[in-house]
Amino acid sequence: DARTRPTAEQVAAFRHLLDNETAVANAVAQALVRYCPGNAYDGDDEVLWLVEEVQHLRPLVRLIGVHVLDVARDGAACIGFEFDCAWDAEHGAGIMTHLGRAVSSGQADCSFTEWIAQDGLNGHRNKA
């Protein structure tokens, strides 16, 4: 019942995403590669996965949410991408973007927390 219309910055961010879907997806995927803990082993030192390139991520992550935030700069809002991931089933993974550039990465809350978006814009969060 308390729905509001998107702000001009949110509309601009969403349009940018639609117009640049492939480039944004590539930026998000590259940020996930950097965030992923490279490889994992089971109790017998067998490799469960090895992530060095984007194609290695496909079986390990699943997009579960896209968040268009109120945090904006340069006429466009931040957009966060939330993932289930094999390396952190409880907390997931998140990538925060602004105009197609990954500004922070971390657990799923990185994709929807406004102060994390602001810190990412200000260069204070881990670079994705």
PDB file of all heavy atoms in Angstrom, residues 78-104:
ATOM      1  N   CYS A  78      22.254   3.469  -7.626  1.00  0.00           N
ATOM      2  CA  CYS A  78      23.021   2.223  -7.565  1.00  0.00           C
ATOM      3  C   CYS A  78      22.071   1.046  -7.763  1.00  0.00           C
ATOM      4  O   CYS A  78      20.909   1.090  -7.363  1.00  0.00           O
ATOM      5  CB  CYS A  78      23.698   2.093  -6.211  1.00  0.00           C
ATOM      6  SG  CYS A  78      25.059   3.227  -5.959  1.00  0.00           S
ATOM      7  N   ILE A  79      22.586   0.008  -8.379  1.00  0.00           N
ATOM      8  CA  ILE A  79      21.847  -1.238  -8.553  1.00  0.00           C
ATOM      9  C   ILE A  79      22.682  -2.367  -7.962  1.00  0.00           C
ATOM     10  O   ILE A  79      23.872  -2.497  -8.270  1.00  0.00           O
ATOM     11  CB  ILE A  79      21.539  -1.529 -10.034  1.00  0.00           C
ATOM     12  CG1 ILE A  79      20.635  -0.438 -10.609  1.00  0.00           C
ATOM     13  CG2 ILE A  79      20.897  -2.907 -10.190  1.00  0.00           C
ATOM     14  CD1 ILE A  79      20.273  -0.643 -12.067  1.00  0.00           C
ATOM     15  N   GLY A  80      22.038  -3.175  -7.111  1.00  0.00           N
ATOM     16  CA  GLY A  80      22.717  -4.307  -6.499  1.00  0.00           C
ATOM     17  C   GLY A  80      22.208  -5.622  -7.047  1.00  0.00           C
ATOM     18  O   GLY A  80      21.027  -5.757  -7.386  1.00  0.00           O
ATOM     19  N   PHE A  81      23.094  -6.584  -7.131  1.00  0.00           N
ATOM     20  CA  PHE A  81      22.774  -7.912  -7.629  1.00  0.00           C
ATOM     21  C   PHE A  81      23.048  -8.920  -6.511  1.00  0.00           C
ATOM     22  O   PHE A  81      24.165  -8.994  -6.003  1.00  0.00           O
ATOM     23  CB  PHE A  81      23.612  -8.240  -8.875  1.00  0.00           C
ATOM     24  CG  PHE A  81      23.327  -7.313 -10.012  1.00  0.00           C
ATOM     25  CD1 PHE A  81      23.988  -6.101 -10.132  1.00  0.00           C
ATOM     26  CD2 PHE A  81      22.362  -7.639 -10.956  1.00  0.00           C
ATOM     27  CE1 PHE A  81      23.704  -5.228 -11.173  1.00  0.00           C
ATOM     28  CE2 PHE A  81      22.073  -6.775 -12.000  1.00  0.00           C
ATOM     29  CZ  PHE A  81      22.741  -5.563 -12.114  1.00  0.00           C
ATOM     30  N   GLU A  82      22.016  -9.678  -6.143  1.00  0.00           N
ATOM     31  CA  GLU A  82      22.097 -10.626  -5.032  1.00  0.00           C
ATOM     32  C   GLU A  82      22.120 -12.052  -5.572  1.00  0.00           C
ATOM     33  O   GLU A  82      21.332 -12.400  -6.455  1.00  0.00           O
ATOM     34  CB  GLU A  82      20.889 -10.427  -4.119  1.00  0.00           C
ATOM     35  CG  GLU A  82      20.870 -11.308  -2.903  1.00  0.00           C
ATOM     36  CD  GLU A  82      19.673 -11.041  -2.007  1.00  0.00           C
ATOM     37  OE1 GLU A  82      18.848 -10.159  -2.318  1.00  0.00           O
ATOM     38  OE2 GLU A  82      19.557 -11.760  -0.994  1.00  0.00           O
ATOM     39  N   PHE A  83      23.010 -12.877  -5.007  1.00  0.00           N
ATOM     40  CA  PHE A  83      23.211 -14.244  -5.484  1.00  0.00           C
ATOM     41  C   PHE A  83      23.178 -15.255  -4.353  1.00  0.00           C
ATOM     42  O   PHE A  83      23.669 -14.980  -3.259  1.00  0.00           O
ATOM     43  CB  PHE A  83      24.584 -14.386  -6.163  1.00  0.00           C
ATOM     44  CG  PHE A  83      24.765 -13.525  -7.370  1.00  0.00           C
ATOM     45  CD1 PHE A  83      25.246 -12.232  -7.256  1.00  0.00           C
ATOM     46  CD2 PHE A  83      24.457 -14.009  -8.631  1.00  0.00           C
ATOM     47  CE1 PHE A  83      25.410 -11.427  -8.376  1.00  0.00           C
ATOM     48  CE2 PHE A  83      24.620 -13.214  -9.753  1.00  0.00           C
ATOM     49  CZ  PHE A  83      25.095 -11.914  -9.628  1.00  0.00           C
ATOM     50  N   ASP A  84      22.611 -16.431  -4.629  1.00  0.00           N
ATOM     51  CA  ASP A  84      22.929 -17.618  -3.855  1.00  0.00           C
ATOM     52  C   ASP A  84      24.277 -18.070  -4.372  1.00  0.00           C
ATOM     53  O   ASP A  84      24.559 -17.939  -5.575  1.00  0.00           O
ATOM     54  CB  ASP A  84      21.914 -18.736  -4.115  1.00  0.00           C
ATOM     55  CG  ASP A  84      20.649 -18.614  -3.298  1.00  0.00           C
ATOM     56  OD1 ASP A  84      20.663 -17.939  -2.246  1.00  0.00           O
ATOM     57  OD2 ASP A  84      19.634 -19.198  -3.712  1.00  0.00           O
ATOM     58  N   CYS A  85      25.117 -18.603  -3.493  1.00  0.00           N
ATOM     59  CA  CYS A  85      26.415 -19.075  -3.971  1.00  0.00           C
ATOM     60  C   CYS A  85      26.863 -20.299  -3.193  1.00  0.00           C
ATOM     61  O   CYS A  85      26.512 -20.481  -2.026  1.00  0.00           O
ATOM     62  CB  CYS A  85      27.458 -17.964  -3.893  1.00  0.00           C
ATOM     63  SG  CYS A  85      27.821 -17.392  -2.227  1.00  0.00           S
ATOM     64  N   ALA A  86      27.643 -21.134  -3.830  1.00  0.00           N
ATOM     65  CA  ALA A  86      28.098 -22.387  -3.250  1.00  0.00           C
ATOM     66  C   ALA A  86      29.054 -22.162  -2.084  1.00  0.00           C
ATOM     67  O   ALA A  86      29.100 -22.976  -1.168  1.00  0.00           O
ATOM     68  CB  ALA A  86      28.776 -23.240  -4.322  1.00  0.00           C
ATOM     69  N   TRP A  87      29.812 -21.091  -2.085  1.00  0.00           N
ATOM     70  CA  TRP A  87      30.826 -20.897  -1.062  1.00  0.00           C
ATOM     71  C   TRP A  87      30.278 -20.263   0.219  1.00  0.00           C
ATOM     72  O   TRP A  87      30.970 -20.219   1.226  1.00  0.00           O
ATOM     73  CB  TRP A  87      32.018 -20.112  -1.577  1.00  0.00           C
ATOM     74  CG  TRP A  87      31.714 -18.720  -2.036  1.00  0.00           C
ATOM     75  CD1 TRP A  87      31.712 -17.587  -1.267  1.00  0.00           C
ATOM     76  CD2 TRP A  87      31.390 -18.306  -3.352  1.00  0.00           C
ATOM     77  NE1 TRP A  87      31.391 -16.491  -2.031  1.00  0.00           N
ATOM     78  CE2 TRP A  87      31.197 -16.912  -3.320  1.00  0.00           C
ATOM     79  CE3 TRP A  87      31.246 -18.979  -4.570  1.00  0.00           C
ATOM     80  CZ2 TRP A  87      30.855 -16.181  -4.446  1.00  0.00           C
ATOM     81  CZ3 TRP A  87      30.909 -18.244  -5.690  1.00  0.00           C
ATOM     82  CH2 TRP A  87      30.721 -16.867  -5.625  1.00  0.00           C
ATOM     83  N   ASP A  88      29.037 -19.761   0.198  1.00  0.00           N
ATOM     84  CA  ASP A  88      28.440 -19.204   1.416  1.00  0.00           C
ATOM     85  C   ASP A  88      26.921 -19.351   1.333  1.00  0.00           C
ATOM     86  O   ASP A  88      26.198 -18.409   1.016  1.00  0.00           O
ATOM     87  CB  ASP A  88      28.835 -17.741   1.601  1.00  0.00           C
ATOM     88  CG  ASP A  88      28.503 -17.204   2.981  1.00  0.00           C
ATOM     89  OD1 ASP A  88      27.665 -17.820   3.682  1.00  0.00           O
ATOM     90  OD2 ASP A  88      29.063 -16.161   3.369  1.00  0.00           O
ATOM     91  N   ALA A  89      26.445 -20.563   1.626  1.00  0.00           N
ATOM     92  CA  ALA A  89      25.017 -20.855   1.499  1.00  0.00           C
ATOM     93  C   ALA A  89      24.172 -20.014   2.450  1.00  0.00           C
ATOM     94  O   ALA A  89      23.019 -19.711   2.151  1.00  0.00           O
ATOM     95  CB  ALA A  89      24.768 -22.337   1.754  1.00  0.00           C
ATOM     96  N   GLU A  90      24.730 -19.618   3.584  1.00  0.00           N
ATOM     97  CA  GLU A  90      23.962 -18.841   4.555  1.00  0.00           C
ATOM     98  C   GLU A  90      23.863 -17.367   4.185  1.00  0.00           C
ATOM     99  O   GLU A  90      22.796 -16.766   4.291  1.00  0.00           O
ATOM    100  CB  GLU A  90      24.592 -18.965   5.939  1.00  0.00           C
ATOM    101  CG  GLU A  90      23.814 -18.228   7.012  1.00  0.00           C
ATOM    102  CD  GLU A  90      24.396 -18.408   8.395  1.00  0.00           C
ATOM    103  OE1 GLU A  90      25.346 -19.198   8.574  1.00  0.00           O
ATOM    104  OE2 GLU A  90      23.899 -17.742   9.318  1.00  0.00           O
ATOM    105  N   HIS A  91      24.959 -16.766   3.741  1.00  0.00           N
ATOM    106  CA  HIS A  91      25.003 -15.323   3.517  1.00  0.00           C
ATOM    107  C   HIS A  91      24.983 -14.904   2.058  1.00  0.00           C
ATOM    108  O   HIS A  91      24.805 -13.727   1.764  1.00  0.00           O
ATOM    109  CB  HIS A  91      26.240 -14.720   4.193  1.00  0.00           C
ATOM    110  CG  HIS A  91      26.252 -14.964   5.664  1.00  0.00           C
ATOM    111  ND1 HIS A  91      27.101 -15.876   6.238  1.00  0.00           N
ATOM    112  CD2 HIS A  91      25.503 -14.442   6.662  1.00  0.00           C
ATOM    113  CE1 HIS A  91      26.886 -15.893   7.540  1.00  0.00           C
ATOM    114  NE2 HIS A  91      25.923 -15.041   7.827  1.00  0.00           N
ATOM    115  N   GLY A  92      25.202 -15.809   1.137  1.00  0.00           N
ATOM    116  CA  GLY A  92      25.168 -15.476  -0.279  1.00  0.00           C
ATOM    117  C   GLY A  92      26.275 -14.531  -0.705  1.00  0.00           C
ATOM    118  O   GLY A  92      27.282 -14.366  -0.018  1.00  0.00           O
ATOM    119  N   ALA A  93      26.062 -13.900  -1.841  1.00  0.00           N
ATOM    120  CA  ALA A  93      27.029 -12.941  -2.386  1.00  0.00           C
ATOM    121  C   ALA A  93      26.254 -11.760  -2.959  1.00  0.00           C
ATOM    122  O   ALA A  93      25.110 -11.904  -3.392  1.00  0.00           O
ATOM    123  CB  ALA A  93      27.880 -13.593  -3.481  1.00  0.00           C
ATOM    124  N   GLY A  94      26.893 -10.603  -2.956  1.00  0.00           N
ATOM    125  CA  GLY A  94      26.269  -9.419  -3.509  1.00  0.00           C
ATOM    126  C   GLY A  94      27.284  -8.528  -4.196  1.00  0.00           C
ATOM    127  O   GLY A  94      28.422  -8.422  -3.748  1.00  0.00           O
ATOM    128  N   ILE A  95      26.850  -7.918  -5.269  1.00  0.00           N
ATOM    129  CA  ILE A  95      27.676  -6.961  -6.008  1.00  0.00           C
ATOM    130  C   ILE A  95      26.871  -5.675  -6.141  1.00  0.00           C
ATOM    131  O   ILE A  95      25.721  -5.700  -6.586  1.00  0.00           O
ATOM    132  CB  ILE A  95      28.049  -7.482  -7.415  1.00  0.00           C
ATOM    133  CG1 ILE A  95      28.738  -8.858  -7.339  1.00  0.00           C
ATOM    134  CG2 ILE A  95      28.916  -6.457  -8.151  1.00  0.00           C
ATOM    135  CD1 ILE A  95      30.064  -8.870  -6.618  1.00  0.00           C
ATOM    136  N   MET A  96      27.457  -4.556  -5.758  1.00  0.00           N
ATOM    137  CA  MET A  96      26.833  -3.244  -5.905  1.00  0.00           C
ATOM    138  C   MET A  96      27.452  -2.572  -7.130  1.00  0.00           C
ATOM    139  O   MET A  96      28.672  -2.581  -7.294  1.00  0.00           O
ATOM    140  CB  MET A  96      27.083  -2.389  -4.663  1.00  0.00           C
ATOM    141  CG  MET A  96      26.394  -1.042  -4.712  1.00  0.00           C
ATOM    142  SD  MET A  96      24.598  -1.163  -4.757  1.00  0.00           S
ATOM    143  CE  MET A  96      24.266  -1.888  -3.159  1.00  0.00           C
ATOM    144  N   THR A  97      26.576  -2.003  -7.977  1.00  0.00           N
ATOM    145  CA  THR A  97      27.059  -1.326  -9.186  1.00  0.00           C
ATOM    146  C   THR A  97      26.523   0.100  -9.254  1.00  0.00           C
ATOM    147  O   THR A  97      25.516   0.433  -8.627  1.00  0.00           O
ATOM    148  CB  THR A  97      26.615  -2.066 -10.465  1.00  0.00           C
ATOM    149  OG1 THR A  97      25.185  -1.972 -10.597  1.00  0.00           O
ATOM    150  CG2 THR A  97      27.056  -3.518 -10.455  1.00  0.00           C
ATOM    151  N   HIS A  98      27.213   0.893 -10.038  1.00  0.00           N
ATOM    152  CA  HIS A  98      26.739   2.234 -10.375  1.00  0.00           C
ATOM    153  C   HIS A  98      27.101   2.469 -11.831  1.00  0.00           C
ATOM    154  O   HIS A  98      28.275   2.399 -12.205  1.00  0.00           O
ATOM    155  CB  HIS A  98      27.388   3.299  -9.484  1.00  0.00           C
ATOM    156  CG  HIS A  98      26.897   4.665  -9.795  1.00  0.00           C
ATOM    157  ND1 HIS A  98      27.663   5.577 -10.480  1.00  0.00           N
ATOM    158  CD2 HIS A  98      25.710   5.262  -9.545  1.00  0.00           C
ATOM    159  CE1 HIS A  98      26.966   6.686 -10.630  1.00  0.00           C
ATOM    160  NE2 HIS A  98      25.784   6.529 -10.067  1.00  0.00           N
ATOM    161  N   LEU A  99      26.095   2.702 -12.645  1.00  0.00           N
ATOM    162  CA  LEU A  99      26.270   2.908 -14.088  1.00  0.00           C
ATOM    163  C   LEU A  99      27.154   1.823 -14.711  1.00  0.00           C
ATOM    164  O   LEU A  99      28.045   2.096 -15.509  1.00  0.00           O
ATOM    165  CB  LEU A  99      26.819   4.310 -14.369  1.00  0.00           C
ATOM    166  CG  LEU A  99      25.850   5.444 -14.040  1.00  0.00           C
ATOM    167  CD1 LEU A  99      26.535   6.796 -14.218  1.00  0.00           C
ATOM    168  CD2 LEU A  99      24.597   5.363 -14.916  1.00  0.00           C
ATOM    169  N   GLY A 100      26.890   0.582 -14.286  1.00  0.00           N
ATOM    170  CA  GLY A 100      27.579  -0.554 -14.877  1.00  0.00           C
ATOM    171  C   GLY A 100      28.940  -0.861 -14.313  1.00  0.00           C
ATOM    172  O   GLY A 100      29.568  -1.833 -14.716  1.00  0.00           O
ATOM    173  N   ARG A 101      29.396  -0.082 -13.347  1.00  0.00           N
ATOM    174  CA  ARG A 101      30.706  -0.316 -12.733  1.00  0.00           C
ATOM    175  C   ARG A 101      30.488  -0.926 -11.357  1.00  0.00           C
ATOM    176  O   ARG A 101      29.713  -0.414 -10.558  1.00  0.00           O
ATOM    177  CB  ARG A 101      31.448   1.021 -12.602  1.00  0.00           C
ATOM    178  CG  ARG A 101      32.814   0.933 -11.977  1.00  0.00           C
ATOM    179  CD  ARG A 101      33.490   2.297 -11.944  1.00  0.00           C
ATOM    180  NE  ARG A 101      32.788   3.255 -11.120  1.00  0.00           N
ATOM    181  CZ  ARG A 101      33.034   3.479  -9.819  1.00  0.00           C
ATOM    182  NH1 ARG A 101      33.968   2.778  -9.200  1.00  0.00           N
ATOM    183  NH2 ARG A 101      32.360   4.392  -9.149  1.00  0.00           N
ATOM    184  N   ALA A 102      31.143  -2.042 -11.086  1.00  0.00           N
ATOM    185  CA  ALA A 102      31.047  -2.661  -9.768  1.00  0.00           C
ATOM    186  C   ALA A 102      31.794  -1.787  -8.764  1.00  0.00           C
ATOM    187  O   ALA A 102      32.960  -1.468  -8.970  1.00  0.00           O
ATOM    188  CB  ALA A 102      31.633  -4.067  -9.800  1.00  0.00           C
ATOM    189  N   VAL A 103      31.088  -1.366  -7.700  1.00  0.00           N
ATOM    190  CA  VAL A 103      31.714  -0.483  -6.706  1.00  0.00           C
ATOM    191  C   VAL A 103      31.988  -1.188  -5.387  1.00  0.00           C
ATOM    192  O   VAL A 103      32.768  -0.681  -4.579  1.00  0.00           O
ATOM    193  CB  VAL A 103      30.894   0.809  -6.466  1.00  0.00           C
ATOM    194  CG1 VAL A 103      30.839   1.645  -7.735  1.00  0.00           C
ATOM    195  CG2 VAL A 103      29.502   0.514  -5.938  1.00  0.00           C
ATOM    196  N   SER A 104      31.358  -2.337  -5.150  1.00  0.00           N
ATOM    197  CA  SER A 104      31.685  -3.125  -3.965  1.00  0.00           C
ATOM    198  C   SER A 104      31.164  -4.545  -4.130  1.00  0.00           C
ATOM    199  O   SER A 104      30.273  -4.815  -4.931  1.00  0.00           O
ATOM    200  CB  SER A 104      31.145  -2.481  -2.685  1.00  0.00           C
ATOM    201  OG  SER A 104      29.754  -2.415  -2.704  1.00  0.00           O
TER     202      SER A 104
END
